[in-house]
Amino acid sequence: MKEGKSKIKSDILLRVRLLYLLFIGIGIAVLGRLVWVQMFSSEVDYNARRLESRIFTEEILPAQRGSILARNGEPLAVSMFRYQVEMDFGSPGLDSLGTFREQSDSLAKLLASFFRDRTAAQYREFFRTSHARHYRLVNGRDTSVLRDEGFFARLLNRLRGEEYVKRRIYDTIRDHTPVKLFPREVDYNEWQELRKYPILNWNMGMVYNLVRHDRRIYPQGELARRTIGLTGDRGNYGIEAVWRETLAGRDGRAVRQRIARGFSGRVVGSGEDPVDGADVVSTLDLDLQDVADKTLRRQLERQNALWGTTIVMEVQTGEILALVNLGRNSRGEYVENTNYAIAKRAELGSVFKLATMLALVEDADMPLSTVYDTGDGRPVAVGGAPVRDAHGGHREMDFRTAAAQSSNVYFAEAVVERYADRKERYTDFLRKLRLDRTVGLEAYGERAPYLPSDWQKIGGANQALARLAFGYVAELTPMQMLTLYNAVANDGCMVAPRLVREIRRGGVLEERFRPEVLEERICSPATIRTVRELLEEVCRSGTGAPYFRDTTLFRAAGKTGTAQFAQDGIRYSDGYYMGSMVVYFPAEEPRYTILTTIHTRRQGGKAYYGGPLAGPVVKRMAGYIYHREHDWHARVGSTGERHHPVRIKGGDIAQVRRVAGKLGSPDVEFDSRTGWGRAEVDSAARVRITALPQDFETVPDVRGMGLKDALFLMEQRGLRVSFTGTGAVREQSLAPNSRAVAGRTVRLTLR
C-alpha cells in the first residue's frame, strides 16, 4: 500500500517538474523572441518604421535668408517668402462633379479679377480640362445592389420581387501630379486674400498643397549686382557666395502626427525652431554707387568702350564705397557681368609709375633734380630698345616734370641706369610694396598679380626692365593698383580693401570688422612726402591738370595711365588700350581714393589715352563727394560782435527801410516813406535813403539798385535795357536826369 502511494507521488512530482520545465522553456522562447524582435529582426523594424512613417512625418521649417544691406541700412538683397498653390485634381475631395463645377466657376471669376492674365472663361476651361485629365472613370459595368438597407424594407421589396436594382460602376484612375494654379508666385499679403476664395478656403480632401519658396529680391535692380553676387545654378560669386553660411541661417525641424486624411498636428516639444540668417552690412554707399554707375556708363557709351570699372575707397579704413563693373553683353548693353576690378589682370601703363617713383626715391635715393634727355617725343634707345614719350614738347626733364608729364623715357632711363646690374633688387622692392600678392579679396575671385621673378629667363632683360619701369611686363588688377595709391594717401600704411562692415542679427550688432593692415609702412615718411608732391604736380600741371587744375574747392593728387593691350590672342598692334586714372583727395589730408580703368579700341573721334578716357569719371566722382561732405565746407561762426552791412541796394523805399532794420543798422534816415530811392551807408553804419524824382520824362538814377528794380524803372519810361555782370548796378550808359527817349537802349553794368 505504501509502495503504491509512493509511486503516485513520484509520478505527480515528475509531472510538476516537467510542467515547470515546459513553462521555463516557453518563457525562455518568449524572451528570446522578444529580444530577437526588439534587436535583430529587420522585418519587424521595417514594419515598425512604415507604421511610424504613416503616423509621424518630419517637416522642414525653412529659415529665412538674411539681407545684404548698404552701409546706411538700405537693402541691396532681401528674401521674401513667396507662395504657390499646387492643385491635386485627382483628389477624392473633388469627386463631386456638381460641387466642383459650382466652386470652380466662382474661383475662375475671382482669379481672373485678381491676376488679370486670363478671362474667367479661360480659367473655367483650365479647371475643367485639368480635372478631366487627372480624374477619369473607366471600365463601366453593371452590378446589382440592394434597393434598400432596412430589414422590413428588404422583406417588402422581396415580396414585390424588387429586392435588387442594377447600378453602373466604374474603375477610377487618379493622377495626383500637382498642377500650379497661379500664373505667378504671390506674397504673404496676397495669399491671405486668395485663401478666402472658393476651393482655396477648404482642403478637406487635401485638394491642394501650399508650396512656400524663399525668393531673393534685389530692390536696387542691377546696381552693384556683381558685387552683391548670386548663389545657385546661375553662379556663385560676390557677397552672396562668400557669406553664404552667415546669410543662410539654419533650417528647423518639426514632427507632425497624422490626425485624419489631409490633417496633421505638430507634436508639442518635438524638433527645433529655425534660426534665420544674419544680415550682412556691406561697405557700399548707395548714393556713390548710383552716381559712379551712371557716370561710368555714360562715358563708356560716349567712347564706345568695351568695359570699365570705377572704385571709390575710404583712405583710412579701406572700405569700398563704390564698385562698378560694366561690360557689354551679347545685345551690346552695358551690364555688370564680370568683376573687372578684382578679376581682370593686365598691364596698366603709367599708373604703375607710382611704384617706380617709390623705388627711385626710397631705394635708389634719386634726387628730384635729376635730369634726363627724353627726346622731345622721338624714340630714345633705352635697354637696347627704342622708348618714346606719347607727347612731345619737352627734351630735358627733371623728376618732377617727368612725373607730371608721364615720361616713359625718363622712368626707363632712371631705372635701367640704377638697376641694370641688380634687377632683382628692383623687383624685390616692388615685392615690399606687395605688388606680387593679392590684397585679401581671394574669396571674391581676386586674381593674383604677376611680377617677373627670374630675370635669367626673360629675353632682352634690360629691355623688359625698361618696360617694367613705365607699366608694362607686370600685370595687376585695378583693385591692387588702387590699394598701392591708397597706401601713399594713408601716410604709407597699406590697408586691405573691404566690402563688408558688420554682421547684424535681428537688427542687433553681432560683429564689426576692423581695418586689416597689410603693411604698417611701405616706405619712409620722407619718401611718402616726396612722392605725394610728385602726384600733386600731376594734377596741378601735368596729365591730370585738365580735370583738377581749375578747381579751387580742393587739391587732388594722382596719376593717369595708358597701356596697349595684348592678351587673349590680341597683339599690341591691334589697337586695344587700357586707360586709367587714380586720384586721392584732398591732397593735404586724403580721405578718398578713386580709380577708373576703361578698356577700349582705338577709333576715330574717340579717346584712348588714360586722361580723356577715365578723367571725366574720376572728376565727376570727386566733385560729387566733395559737395556731399558738408564738414569740408566753411562755416560762419559767431564772435559775439554785432556786424552791420557796408552797402544796401536801393529800390522801393519801404522795402529798403525794412531790410535795413532787419540787418540791424543802428539808424535809418529818409526824406520820404514811399516811392523809389537810393541807399548809402556811412562809416557809423547809418543808412541814408534819398528819394528819386518822380519824373517819367527823365532817366532815373538806378545806381546802387538791384537788377529787378532797375529794369522796372527803366522800362517804365519806355527804355530798352541791356546788362552785364551780377550784383548791384554800378554804371548806366544814359546819364541820370537826362531826357528819356522811348525806344533808346540803356546799358547797365552790375558788380
Side-chain angles (χ1 to χ4, degrees), residues 593-612:
T593 309
I594 306 171
L595 174 144
T596 291
T597 295
I598 294 178
H599 180 40
T600 190
R601 189 173 187 179
R602 189 167 183 173
Q603 309 161 72
K606 306 295 183 183
Y608 63 92
Y609 281 110

Side-chain angles (χ1 to χ4, degrees), residues 147-206:
R147 183 183 294 274
D148 295 303
E149 293 293 334
F151 174 77
F152 292 104
R154 287 182 58 190
L155 181 60
L156 183 60
N157 290 337
R158 185 179 298 173
L159 293 175
R160 294 175 179 173
E162 300 175 349
E163 185 177 3
Y164 294 94
V165 295
K166 288 185 177 181
R167 295 282 173 84
R168 192 76 173 171
I169 63 172
Y170 300 87
D171 291 333
T172 304
I173 298 180
R174 299 180 186 273
D175 180 2
H176 295 285
T177 303
V179 178
K180 292 181 179 179
L181 182 62
F182 302 149
R184 60 174 174 81
E185 293 180 334
V186 298
D187 60 29
Y188 178 79
N189 293 327
E190 289 177 317
W191 170 241
Q192 294 306 307
E193 177 65 25
L194 289 166
R195 68 185 302 180
K196 302 174 185 176
Y197 291 177
I199 296 182
L200 301 181
N201 61 0
W202 52 275
N203 204 18
M204 294 296 292
M206 201 62 182

Side-chain angles (χ1 to χ4, degrees), residues 71 283 311-321 342 433-434 437-444 446 478-488 490 492-501 513-522 593:
R71 64 192 292 118
T283 62
I311 316 169
V312 180
M313 176 187 276
E314 198 171 57
V315 169
Q316 293 186 349
T317 65
E319 292 187 354
I320 303 299
L321 306 184
I342 65 175
L433 302 178
R434 291 187 62 94
R437 283 165 283 176
T438 55
V439 293
L441 298 176
E442 299 87 351
Y444 296 90
E446 181 188 2
M479 184 69 76
Q480 292 157 359
M481 196 76 260
L482 174 73
T483 304
L484 177 62
Y485 276 83
N486 196 76
V488 172
N490 198 27
C493 179
M494 180 179 286
V495 293
R498 290 194 296 137
L499 286 168
V500 172
R501 299 189 81 192
F513 302 101
R514 297 184 177 277
E516 178 186 352
V517 177
L518 301 177
E519 296 290 339
E520 288 287 350
R521 190 168 296 279
I522 60 173
T593 309

Side-chain angles (χ1 to χ4, degrees), residues 578-591:
M578 297 280 285
S580 304
M581 187 173 190
V582 195
V583 160
Y584 61 79
F585 71 102
E588 59 277 10
E589 293 183 8
R591 292 173 62 173

Side-chain angles (χ1 to χ4, degrees), residues 509-625:
L509 179 64
E510 192 170 271
E511 183 178 5
R512 174 168 289 164
F513 302 101
R514 297 184 177 277
E516 178 186 352
V517 177
L518 301 177
E519 296 290 339
E520 288 287 350
R521 190 168 296 279
I522 60 173
C523 59
S524 67
T527 297
I528 290 294
R529 288 193 297 270
T530 301
V531 170
R532 284 172 64 163
E533 289 179 15
L534 298 177
L535 296 178
E536 284 187 53
E537 193 63 35
V538 173
C539 292
R540 183 184 303 115
S541 64
T543 56
Y547 311 99
F548 294 99
R549 175 176 52 207
D550 296 333
T551 179
T552 58
L553 303 176
F554 57 85
R555 297 204 324 269
K559 190 74 185 71
T560 62
T562 308
Q564 291 178 297
F565 183 83
Q567 283 185 15
D568 307 324
I570 298 174
R571 297 169 300 180
Y572 288 120
S573 59
D574 290 341
Y576 288 87
Y577 290 84
M578 297 280 285
S580 304
M581 187 173 190
V582 195
V583 160
Y584 61 79
F585 71 102
E588 59 277 10
E589 293 183 8
R591 292 173 62 173
Y592 300 99
T593 309
I594 306 171
L595 174 144
T596 291
T597 295
I598 294 178
H599 180 40
T600 190
R601 189 173 187 179
R602 189 167 183 173
Q603 309 161 72
K606 306 295 183 183
Y608 63 92
Y609 281 110
L613 198 60
V617 180
V618 175
K619 178 182 179 182
R620 165 65 174 151
M621 293 307 302
Y624 179 83
I625 293 172

Side-chain angles (χ1 to χ4, degrees), residues 227-239:
T227 305
I228 297 169
L230 193 68
T231 57
D233 298 336
R234 291 185 294 165
N236 293 277
Y237 55 85
I239 296 175

